[in-house]
Amino acid sequence: MENAAVASETSVRRSKRGRVLETSDVAPSKSGGSMEEKSTDQEQGSGDGSFDELEEILPKPKRKRGRPPRAAGLKECDTLFDAVKNNGKYIQYMVKKWVERYEADPKSALVEILLMLFETCGAKYQLGVASFDEINVDDVVVSLVELARNGMIEDHYNSKSRELKTFKENLALFWDTLVLECQNEPLFDKILFEKCMDYVIALSCTPPRVYRQVASLVGLQLVTSFITVAKILGRQRETTQRQLNAEKKKRNDGPRVESLNKRLSMTHERITYMEEMMRKIFTGLFMHRYRDVDPDIRMSCIKSLGIWIVSYPTLFLQDLYLKYLGWTLNDKSAAVRKTSVLALQNLYELDDNVPSLGLFTERFCNRMIELADDIDVSVAVSAIGLLKQLLRHQLLTDDELGPLYDLLIDEPPMIRRAIGELVYDHLIAQKVKNSQSGMSGGDNESSEVHLGRMLQILREFPDDPVLSAYVIDDVWDDMKAMKDWKCIIAMLLDENPVIGLTDVDATNLVRLLHASAKKAVGEKIVPATDNRKQYYTKAQKEALENSRKEITIAMMKNYPQLLRKYIADKTKVSSLVEIVVLLKLELYSLKRQEKNFKAILELITDAFFKHGEKDTLRSCIKAITYCSNESQADLRDFAQNKLKDLENELLTKLKSAVKEVTVGDDEYSLLVNLKRLYELQLTKSVSNDDLYEDMAKILRDFKDLEDEVKSFLLLNMYLHVAWCLQSIDGENPSETSLTALMSKRTMLLEQLHYFINTIPEVQKEGRGRNVLSSRVCIILAEVWCLFKMSRYTSTKLEILGYCPDTLILQNFWKLCESQLSVSDETEDEDANEEYIEETNRDAIMIAAAKLVASHTVSKDYLGPEIISHFVMHGPSVAEIIKYLITVLKKNENEDLPFLFLEALKMGHLSVQPATSTDLKS
């Protein structure tokens, strides 16, 4: 609707050109056609002061129009309704013809257009021309409602028919064109549109939904079109007033002043009349339909009101009308709430409107803030955009914004992104009103200033790198300073510091550098909402590659300095080391920076042996492995040799630590080097049979070792066995390798079986004391799956097949049950939180379920046992069991009824009876 009005309003500014009238001049179009030329004539006539042209708007005899040329493809029998229904391009032509008929015979033409209105509602109804004056509007509407009640109407408005796909647009265009075509004469005769409005308002209040839909569309479009005419008249009034003032200054009281006074009075009267018609529709239609049961009608009302207020603020920018936008912020329909928010965005975007919105803002500000956390994501995102407008005008306080910042770590990325824009504008770039182009500071400030403000925000999350990553991800697209690699590096190295960094700031800046670099090369820094693979166009791939190159060049000479400075800091070194995998390593060869490359590897190796934390160890292994695979020529050989040297040095340290333990020394050296070996074995095979035997011997001979040491001994033994199995040639296995593997497997199983038989059922010392039990359950299940009988049957490796006996399986599940009863939230000061997620209840249930799903053990015992725990340990464990059932359902040979029956029996006998809620589940 508004497009037609805006097009008409814009077109009246075009210059008048004398030309020969062609068929194309009267061919229907959506921009207003010849009526725009008439409007332009009036404006230009009033501009040059010509007395003859001033007479154009005064009452005069009806014009005799030449018959308009026929529109191609239009049939003689086509009606106004046919033009709306079938093809919008004929609307302008049909309206021109109708206006001619109206000027010749008003009553017949008025009946014709009313019948068209009824037909657009879907009703076939006849009005008599002779008795038209005596017909009551309410009587006609009652008859139309009766037709609808009897099912004698056709719904064109909601039809899915292809020929009616533009019906709504055409209907709005028709009434817009009619108003503009009538703006000189019929619009002000107080008959035509008064009668049309009476019927439109009456139909909008009827029970049939299609009547209300059509009438609402027509009524709302009429107000929009009236505004277009009122604005044209307003400009004419301003021009006439200026001319009149000029004449008065000349002290001329002749006919020209009289003519200008007459014109000014008439123009003012017409504007007043237009506003009266707008109020009539607002009172009779809008005030009822903005709360219609149909959300589409409510939405169209609010959308139109927003357009009216913006385009005609002299009438509508008042609390009398604004309050409806505030009320509908609470509408139950998300589409209506969003429409109201978008309308308010358009209002606050114009600085001139803000003073008039003061009372409205004060009244509805809290609701606008609440909508930022709306249940509908699109509404929330739009509301955040509205709050940005309020912030720009300094209409919100920091206290009011506080709760919004919690949305930085909200689940939907769209909301986080919108809040990120708000945070950047308000806290980092500090874009506010009363500055050039509506902003202050902003992009002209240095990267260091913006980074300093970002660090102030990150101080809120000093101990949580995950939350910091969310904030960085949200703001990254807007904040160019996060891509200023040279500035970030200079700040970390304290080169000419503008802002002094605290230790917390330095930690956050290192995290920011790592996260920003990952974003720049196309990697995710926060958990993805889906696991779909990201695809890039050729241009996007080139941009990412250029970013990788820029980061490499910026880091090339300074990277060793950064590592030397922070190598001993465990909070920074992990993020700093992992930046290596984001670099374009071939540039080190092309730019002759081999010395710096080697220095980086030396420093990363040092970091590996300086620290014992999981993140640092994992980052170092990842970085050295990447360098050994991705670097070129001599540098690749250097990296591979460095990795081998690291392995050898680690084995030497481990053997020394084992000897220390055997003579009664402290276990710390053994534990930290076992962790290093574990992280290394997760990536590559580490061959050393003597060390394997030493680990088995320590477990067998030293029963009083710390549980964490025992856990990592078992983990490393398991990984060693897994690598040995992978190295065996399945087609031509050697007897020596098979014998050695069988011996190692036997040693591992002996230790695992010992633990499942000797560990108490319930350890009350806390979560950390149960880690060993959990490790034993998980490793044992993995070993059984690795050597399950069905994998090797009828192969040359058949000797490797293994299946536990019933007693061992029962003891295994008994230990699993005891661990499932230990809450993951149980705290223990001595527990190592680094690997705690690998030993929680989910991991134990996954290990047990895998044995059943992969047919490693008989499902007849373990299957019902697992299913009987369906609702005992929280939703995550329940989801794992549900997935196991889904897997079993896919196998037609599975006897699920038997499994469910046995599970019910076990659940009934359980010492933890199911609650009523569980039974419903």
Side-chain angles (χ1 to χ4, degrees):
M1 290 184 285
E2 63 272 22
N3 292 339
V6 172
S8 300
E9 179 185 336
T10 303
S11 61
V12 299
R13 303 190 185 100
R14 299 172 186 162
S15 61
K16 177 181 176 184
R17 300 177 185 269
R19 53 193 173 90
V20 179
L21 185 66
E22 299 176 348
T23 304
S24 60
D25 296 332
V26 294
S29 69
K30 294 189 178 183
S31 61
S34 60
M35 280 313 301
E36 296 167 3
E37 295 175 12
K38 290 187 284 185
S39 300
T40 307
D41 292 348
Q42 295 170 9
E43 284 198 273
Q44 296 212 341
S46 63
D48 60 10
S50 169
F51 182 82
D52 293 334
E53 292 187 357
L54 288 175
E55 297 289 353
E56 285 184 7
I57 69 157
L58 299 177
K60 52 185 177 286
K62 295 177 182 178
R63 294 189 300 257
K64 292 184 179 180
R65 305 179 186 217
R67 186 175 181 81
R70 181 143 202 82
L74 192 63
K75 299 177 182 178
E76 191 68 40
C77 60
D78 282 348
T79 64
L80 296 176
F81 175 73
D82 292 326
V84 171
K85 178 182 177 182
N86 298 322
N87 201 329
K89 69 181 182 179
Y90 298 142
I91 287 176
Q92 187 174 347
Y93 174 79
M94 295 293 284
V95 168
K96 286 179 180 291
K97 287 185 64 178
W98 181 87
V99 171
E100 291 179 3
R101 294 197 295 274
Y102 181 79
E103 290 178 343
D105 185 359
K107 188 177 294 186
S108 298
L110 183 54
V111 169
E112 180 185 358
I113 203 165
L114 290 176
L115 291 176
M116 187 277 287
L117 174 63
F118 301 156
E119 199 166 357
T120 55
C121 290
K124 297 283 188 180
Y125 187 82
Q126 297 300 321
L127 282 177
V129 177
S131 59
F132 178 71
D133 292 334
E134 288 77 30
I135 295 176
N136 184 279
V137 174
D138 293 337
D139 294 337
V140 174
V141 172
V142 168
S143 299
L144 291 170
V145 172
E146 190 63 28
L147 288 176
R149 187 177 291 115
N150 295 330
M152 298 172 66
I153 62 171
E154 184 178 357
D155 189 349
H156 306 293
Y157 188 92
N158 299 298
S159 174
K160 303 298 182 183
S161 172
R162 184 176 180 181
E163 65 175 3
L164 292 171
K165 65 180 181 179
T166 60
F167 179 80
K168 299 174 188 177
E169 292 81 357
N170 291 346
L171 183 58
L173 177 61
F174 174 87
W175 288 94
D176 182 56
T177 305
L178 179 65
V179 171
L180 296 177
E181 186 68 23
C182 295
Q183 64 178 300
N184 286 322
E185 298 163 11
L187 183 58
F188 303 100
D189 65 4
K190 298 190 177 181
I191 298 175
L192 170 59
F193 283 95
E194 290 286 350
K195 187 63 71 174
C196 290
M197 287 192 297
D198 288 342
Y199 277 96
V200 166
I201 292 172
L203 286 168
S204 72
C205 297
T206 56
R209 181 170 300 199
V210 66
Y211 289 1
R212 301 198 312 277
Q213 289 171 330
V214 172
S216 298
L217 185 151
V218 173
L220 297 172
Q221 178 59 53
L222 282 175
V223 176
T224 305
S225 302
F226 291 161
I227 288 173
T228 302
V229 175
K231 291 173 72 174
I232 294 171
L233 292 172
R235 289 193 293 270
Q236 291 176 355
R237 180 170 62 180
E238 292 173 3
T239 302
T240 304
Q241 185 66 60
R242 287 197 304 270
Q243 293 173 343
L244 183 59
N245 292 340
E247 290 297 323
K248 288 182 177 180
K249 286 182 180 179
K250 298 177 184 177
R251 298 184 178 178
N252 293 332
D253 295 329
R256 178 170 175 76
V257 173
E258 182 181 352
S259 174
L260 287 170
N261 275 319
K262 186 180 294 186
R263 176 175 184 175
L264 184 63
S265 176
M266 175 177 287
T267 306
H268 182 73
E269 288 176 3
R270 289 189 169 186
I271 292 173
T272 303
Y273 178 64
M274 297 303 301
E275 292 179 353
E276 288 175 358
M277 290 199 292
M278 295 179 208
R279 291 191 187 95
K280 180 176 180 178
I281 294 178
F282 185 88
T283 304
L285 187 148
F286 179 92
M287 288 178 60
H288 301 285
R289 299 283 66 77
Y290 89 95
R291 53 186 180 181
D292 194 280
V293 69
D294 186 341
D296 289 335
I297 294 178
R298 301 200 303 273
M299 185 171 65
S300 61
C301 286
I302 296 305
K303 183 177 181 180
S304 296
L305 179 59
I307 294 170
W308 301 343
I309 298 173
V310 171
S311 58
Y312 203 62
T314 53
L315 174 63
F316 289 104
L317 189 56
Q318 306 176 49
D319 292 325
L320 174 66
Y321 302 101
L322 290 170
K323 63 185 180 182
Y324 295 98
L325 294 181
W327 289 343
T328 49
L329 291 175
N330 295 288
D331 195 278
K332 62 182 179 181
S333 167
V336 179
R337 296 196 302 275
K338 182 179 179 180
T339 301
S340 183
V341 169
L342 294 176
L344 290 172
Q345 276 193 39
N346 293 332
L347 280 179
Y348 283 100
E349 190 173 357
L350 301 174
D351 293 350
D352 293 340
N353 291 340
V354 174
S356 301
L357 290 166
L359 186 59
F360 174 86
T361 305
E362 183 180 348
R363 181 177 177 184
F364 293 103
C365 180
N366 289 338
R367 179 54 186 159
M368 296 181 209
I369 295 173
E370 290 173 359
L371 283 174
D373 197 20
D374 193 85
I375 191 172
D376 185 272
V377 174
S378 64
V379 175
V381 171
S382 301
I384 294 167
L386 173 59
L387 295 178
K388 286 176 61 181
Q389 298 281 11
L390 298 180
L391 279 171
R392 186 170 67 87
H393 296 293
Q394 298 178 318
L395 297 174
L396 291 179
T397 65
D398 290 338
D399 290 340
E400 291 173 317
L401 284 175
L404 292 179
Y405 298 141
D406 294 338
L407 300 178
L408 282 169
I409 55 174
D410 205 2
E411 185 64 27
M414 291 176 62
I415 293 180
R416 291 194 289 103
R417 178 74 185 85
I419 291 290
E421 290 181 13
L422 185 148
V423 167
Y424 175 75
D425 287 350
H426 181 58
L427 298 180
I428 299 174
Q430 297 187 355
K431 299 177 180 178
V432 294
K433 193 184 169 187
N434 301 326
S435 57
Q436 190 175 11
S437 301
M439 309 205 177
S440 72
D443 297 334
N444 296 324
E445 294 178 324
S446 69
S447 294
E448 197 163 358
V449 172
H450 283 189
L451 287 167
R453 292 170 184 162
M454 182 65 178
L455 291 175
Q456 287 181 337
I457 297 172
L458 295 179
R459 285 174 196 160
E460 300 294 326
F461 317 102
D463 301 320
D464 199 330
V466 175
L467 296 183
S468 297
Y470 270 98
V471 177
I472 294 167
D473 185 64
D474 299 338
V475 181
W476 192 83
D477 289 331
D478 298 295
M479 189 172 169
K480 294 180 181 179
M482 278 203 275
K483 280 82 84 177
D484 192 340
W485 315 115
K486 291 182 179 178
C487 179
I488 298 174
I489 293 168
M491 289 176 68
L492 286 170
L493 294 175
D494 290 330
E495 296 177 356
N496 302 319
V498 175
I499 301 172
L501 296 183
T502 65
D503 184 63
V504 172
D505 288 339
T507 300
N508 285 327
L509 191 56
V510 169
R511 291 172 181 169
L512 184 148
L513 175 60
H514 178 222
S516 184
K518 287 182 72 173
K519 287 279 291 181
V521 299
E523 295 187 16
K524 297 184 182 299
I525 63 174
V526 298
T529 54
D530 56 55
N531 295 320
R532 289 181 296 179
K533 186 178 179 180
Q534 180 72 43
Y535 291 96
Y536 297 104
T537 63
K538 183 179 179 181
Q540 288 173 325
K541 289 179 181 178
E542 290 177 356
L544 295 176
E545 195 64 20
N546 287 335
S547 295
R548 191 183 294 271
K549 183 177 179 181
E550 290 173 3
I551 296 168
T552 305
I553 292 172
M555 296 286 294
M556 194 171 283
K557 294 181 180 180
N558 295 307
Y559 198 6
Q561 298 178 49
L562 287 172
L563 287 171
R564 287 190 190 97
K565 182 174 181 179
Y566 296 111
I567 193 170
D569 193 329
K570 64 180 181 180
T571 62
K572 303 177 181 65
V573 68
S574 175
S575 298
L576 204 54
V577 164
E578 209 163 318
I579 294 175
V580 171
V581 303
L582 307 174
L583 303 182
K584 193 175 177 67
L585 296 182
E586 63 188 51
L587 292 178
Y588 279 89
S589 299
L590 294 174
K591 294 187 177 292
R592 300 180 179 276
Q593 295 292 323
E594 293 87 349
K595 183 178 178 180
N596 282 325
F597 179 84
K598 293 177 180 179
I600 291 169
L601 282 176
E602 294 284 359
L603 288 164
I604 292 175
T605 304
D606 289 347
F608 180 78
F609 288 108
K610 275 185 184 296
H611 298 279
E613 297 79 22
K614 180 181 76 170
D615 290 340
T616 303
L617 297 177
R618 198 159 287 183
S619 296
C620 291
I621 295 297
K622 184 178 179 181
I624 297 176
T625 303
Y626 177 80
C627 291
S628 65
N629 293 330
E630 299 299 326
S631 53
Q632 295 184 343
D634 293 343
L635 295 184
R636 175 181 288 190
D637 294 339
F638 179 84
Q640 290 174 347
N641 290 332
K642 202 65 190 171
L643 183 59
K644 186 63 179 175
D645 291 343
L646 180 146
E647 179 182 331
N648 292 335
E649 185 177 353
L650 176 58
L651 292 176
T652 301
K653 288 180 177 293
L654 261 171
K655 290 176 181 177
S656 175
V658 168
K659 290 179 181 178
E660 291 175 3
V661 171
T662 57
V663 297
D665 286 349
D666 186 67
E667 301 169 8
Y668 174 76
S669 179
L670 177 61
L671 174 61
V672 73
N673 283 295
L674 283 172
K675 287 183 179 180
R676 291 170 182 154
L677 179 61
Y678 172 66
E679 295 297 337
L680 185 60
Q681 285 203 102
L682 288 175
T683 305
K684 66 184 298 290
S685 171
V686 179
S687 301
N688 194 299
D689 294 340
D690 292 340
L691 183 61
Y692 185 89
E693 293 177 1
D694 288 342
M695 289 190 288
K697 188 173 185 298
I698 289 176
L699 282 172
R700 186 171 57 250
D701 298 342
F702 295 87
K703 303 300 184 184
D704 57 346
L705 290 172
E706 290 290 336
D707 284 353
E708 193 174 11
V709 177
K710 294 176 183 177
S711 295
F712 278 97
L713 284 168
L714 291 171
L715 280 171
N716 280 295
M717 289 177 67
Y718 162 70
L719 288 176
H720 183 82
V721 169
W723 281 114
C724 289
L725 176 61
Q726 188 184 51
S727 66
I728 291 178
D729 185 353
E731 297 297 327
N732 298 296
S734 69
E735 290 187 11
T736 304
S737 61
L738 287 176
T739 302
L741 177 58
M742 292 285 290
S743 174
K744 292 175 182 177
R745 187 186 73 182
T746 300
M747 281 189 260
L748 177 59
L749 288 174
E750 283 176 356
Q751 294 302 320
L752 292 170
H753 293 168
Y754 167 79
F755 283 115
I756 64 171
N757 290 323
T758 57
I759 293 178
E761 287 186 20
V762 179
Q763 297 179 345
K764 298 181 180 180
E765 292 87 344
R767 185 75 186 93
R769 306 305 299 170
N770 289 276
V771 170
L772 177 60
S773 304
S774 301
R775 285 290 190 195
V776 169
C777 294
I778 295 167
I779 295 172
L780 194 56
E782 292 294 336
V783 173
W784 290 347
C785 287
L786 204 59
F787 293 96
K788 68 176 181 177
M789 194 72 71
S790 60
R791 176 177 292 177
Y792 304 103
T793 303
S794 302
T795 70
K796 295 181 179 181
L797 302 177
E798 189 168 3
I799 191 176
L800 295 178
Y802 176 83
C803 184
D805 59 40
T806 303
L807 179 61
I808 292 176
L809 182 59
Q810 290 174 347
N811 289 338
F812 161 80
W813 177 244
K814 191 175 182 180
L815 185 58
C816 287
E817 278 189 310
S818 70
Q819 295 309 112
L820 289 171
S821 64
V822 179
S823 172
D824 293 338
E825 285 73 36
T826 302
E827 296 182 359
D828 184 358
E829 294 180 358
D830 298 327
N832 188 339
E833 296 295 331
E834 286 184 313
Y835 296 92
I836 213 74
E837 73 280 356
E838 298 177 12
T839 59
N840 59 21
R841 291 187 297 190
D842 290 356
I844 294 170
M845 185 56 76
I846 289 172
K850 188 192 296 186
L851 292 173
V852 176
S854 62
H855 302 282
T856 300
V857 300
S858 173
K859 66 180 182 303
D860 294 340
Y861 166 70
L862 194 55
E865 288 282 4
I866 292 174
I867 295 172
S868 69
H869 284 257
F870 181 50
V871 291
M872 292 184 181
H873 311 293
S876 58
V877 173
E879 284 298 318
I880 295 168
I881 298 174
K882 190 185 298 184
Y883 183 75
L884 171 64
I885 295 171
T886 303
V887 172
L888 295 176
K889 280 182 179 178
K890 294 179 181 179
N891 190 339
E892 296 179 356
N893 297 325
E894 299 290 357
D895 188 5
L896 284 179
F898 167 77
L899 296 180
F900 290 147
L901 179 60
E902 291 299 312
L904 285 172
K905 291 178 181 177
M906 293 174 182
H908 180 70
L909 297 174
S910 174
V911 295
Q912 297 178 347
T915 64
S916 59
T917 304
D918 296 336
L919 293 174
K920 291 179 181 178
S921 301

